[in-house]
Amino acid sequence: MRIGCPKEVKDNEFRVGLIPAAVKAYVDAGHEVVVEKGAGVGSNITDEEYKAAGAKILDSAKEVWATSDMIVKVKEPLPQEYDLMRENQIIYTYFHFAADEELTKACLEKKIIAIAYETVQEADGSLPLLKPMSTIAGRMACLMGAYYLGKPHGGMGLLPTGVPGVAPANILVIGGGSVGSNAARVGAGLGARVTILDVNPNALERLAQTMPPNVFPVFSDSHTLEAGLREADIVVGAVLIPGAKAPKLVKREHLKMMKPGSVIVDVAIDQGGCTETSKPTTHSDPVYIVDGVVHYCVANMPGAYARTATYALNNSTILYGLQLVKKGVERAVKENPALLKGLNMYKGVITFKPVAEAFGMMDNYKPAEEVIK
């Protein structure tokens, strides 16, 4: 099989789908790898490193897409890439279909085979290909919140660490999963008082046992959410329903009870965001203000720390990628239930129900088990 790695085209996206070690793993397994010229520059990976690992360098993304059986990316195809997709081509990347109807329709029309990193799910409920980026985005969240609390950036001018005689910030984290727990740890490390909300008693117990003493796990309901929003200087949206749209837990009217100059960092923006006032932003234009509250909603947060993110992602994706190219998609997903959950589309059919439900496209849906049997 020929595996292709084009350069990412999303705004300020410096990650890349393959590292040299992953290239070598595919080549050693008997496959061919082509990489677009300069694809790894943003992650400080040179074309020479790819060549040394056994890849062939092609001059354009068009050549990579046109000659590859499987495309390995980081972010979803953008409109300028839609015409490059080919029928029956395997695309192995983050898709986040439920937040993007245009992308969903384009991939259906092109009849690609979509393996979505974010929905590959092991039997224990873990999301191994989402976790590394969730970890990075979670650790970034409070750092970004701290930065935008600065008065020159629209914030209230509060230093989250506090100083002797002045209290530190209050941070509210909504969701106690990978993003939320990492955000809470960093917030605690800054010296802030952190409240982390979740509806799962087991998650709350785990957080209570593992978090620093300035992190307070609290059961999430309308009362505790509103109380937390009133006190918060930074709010981190860390809610996740795998593959589905994020629930809009923070309503527009909630902003009026928040402090002027407070900051919302909506890490759930990839899945549509968990506040009603969230809309995707970019690293080149990351924030906007609604009702006095600063919103940071960058849809590819880990791209800012591309080298770390690229290597962390590849450490996980290569394991499943090798199964796909060794066995072919059909056999690989039949034999690995985790990969079966990652199959979101198959040759013009939606195979992941939350995506079909998000846009009322149930006529285009068939369970993955039925499509590939």
Side-chain angles (χ1 to χ4, degrees):
M1 191 178 289
R2 175 179 265 205
I3 298 101
C5 179
K7 188 174 183 178
E8 297 294 322
V9 295
K10 198 176 185 77
D11 180 274
N12 281 288
E13 180 52 74
F14 301 111
R15 290 172 291 180
V16 63
L18 294 176
I19 60 174
V23 169
K24 189 174 188 305
Y26 283 122
V27 171
D28 287 349
H31 304 281
E32 185 180 358
V33 179
V34 294
V35 177
E36 183 183 351
K37 182 179 180 180
V41 170
S43 295
N44 293 321
I45 303 171
T46 66
D47 290 344
E48 287 67 32
E49 290 177 272
Y50 283 123
K51 289 179 185 176
K56 180 180 179 181
I57 304 299
L58 300 183
D59 287 333
S60 69
K62 186 175 181 179
E63 291 177 84
V64 173
W65 283 90
T67 60
S68 298
D69 304 301
M70 183 168 87
I71 294 290
V72 181
K73 292 180 86 276
V74 178
K75 293 303 291 178
E76 72 283 352
L78 295 187
Q80 60 264 45
E81 296 174 302
Y82 293 171
D83 286 339
L84 300 177
M85 297 188 290
R86 295 187 293 109
E87 187 172 338
N88 300 336
Q89 190 171 48
I90 305 163
I91 303 181
Y92 183 43
T93 191
Y94 289 115
F95 280 101
H96 300 288
F97 280 121
D100 194 334
E101 186 173 2
E102 180 186 2
L103 172 68
T104 301
K105 289 180 176 178
C107 290
L108 271 178
E109 183 180 332
K110 289 292 184 178
K111 297 184 178 180
I112 66 161
I113 301 170
I115 305 290
Y117 293 162
E118 69 273 11
T119 65
V120 172
Q121 188 171 23
E122 292 290 353
D124 62 359
S126 64
L127 301 164
L129 307 189
L130 188 62
K131 185 175 181 180
M133 297 305 96
S134 296
T135 299
I136 291 172
R139 294 183 182 188
M140 286 178 65
C142 289
L143 301 180
M144 296 299 102
Y147 181 78
Y148 287 101
L149 270 183
K151 199 66 178 176
H153 313 300
M156 66 177 71
L158 178 73
L159 182 65
T161 61
V163 294
V166 181
N170 289 308
I171 297 177
L172 176 67
V173 179
I174 307 173
S178 183
V179 169
S181 57
N182 278 281
R185 285 190 181 280
V186 171
L190 292 173
R193 185 183 191 279
V194 181
T195 301
I196 183 166
L197 301 180
D198 203 282
V199 295
N200 185 333
N202 293 329
L204 293 171
E205 183 177 358
R206 169 181 53 82
L207 292 165
Q209 292 172 349
T210 59
M211 284 290 156
N214 54 331
V215 176
F216 302 91
V218 175
F219 187 82
S220 183
D221 56 31
S222 59
H223 175 75
T224 55
L225 175 62
E226 291 184 5
L229 291 172
R230 287 189 182 94
E231 293 295 321
D233 303 298
I234 298 172
V235 175
V236 176
V239 182
L240 174 69
I241 300 173
K245 275 192 173 181
K248 303 290 187 182
L249 299 181
V250 180
K251 310 297 185 184
R252 175 70 184 257
E253 56 264 28
H254 285 145
L255 301 190
K256 293 180 173 58
M257 65 179 64
M258 294 177 65
K259 300 175 185 177
S262 57
V263 179
I264 293 174
V265 179
D266 195 346
V267 186
I269 194 62
D270 267 340
Q271 294 293 146
C274 62
T275 83
E276 282 188 345
T277 48
S278 289
K279 60 183 180 182
T281 61
T282 64
H283 287 296
S284 59
D285 189 15
V287 297
Y288 59 93
I289 297 174
V290 179
D291 292 344
V293 177
V294 180
H295 290 57
Y296 176 96
C297 304
V298 175
N300 59 327
M301 287 176 64
Y305 297 97
R307 175 106 178 158
T308 298
T310 289
Y311 277 80
L313 180 60
N314 271 256
N315 289 344
S316 298
T317 56
I318 187 61
L319 301 175
Y320 299 92
L322 285 170
Q323 294 178 45
L324 290 169
V325 298
K326 178 183 178 180
K327 301 176 181 180
V329 168
E330 292 80 6
R331 182 180 158 205
V333 301
K334 282 179 183 177
E335 295 182 2
N336 188 336
L339 267 176
L340 183 66
K341 291 195 173 184
L343 183 65
N344 278 209
M345 284 189 195
Y346 185 81
K347 300 179 181 180
V349 177
I350 297 173
T351 53
F352 192 75
K353 193 173 184 180
V355 174
E357 291 175 333
F359 305 116
M361 298 173 70
M362 292 302 294
D363 288 346
N364 299 101
Y365 167 73
K366 286 185 181 178
E369 297 89 341
E370 292 184 14
V371 171
I372 58 146
K373 67 182 179 181

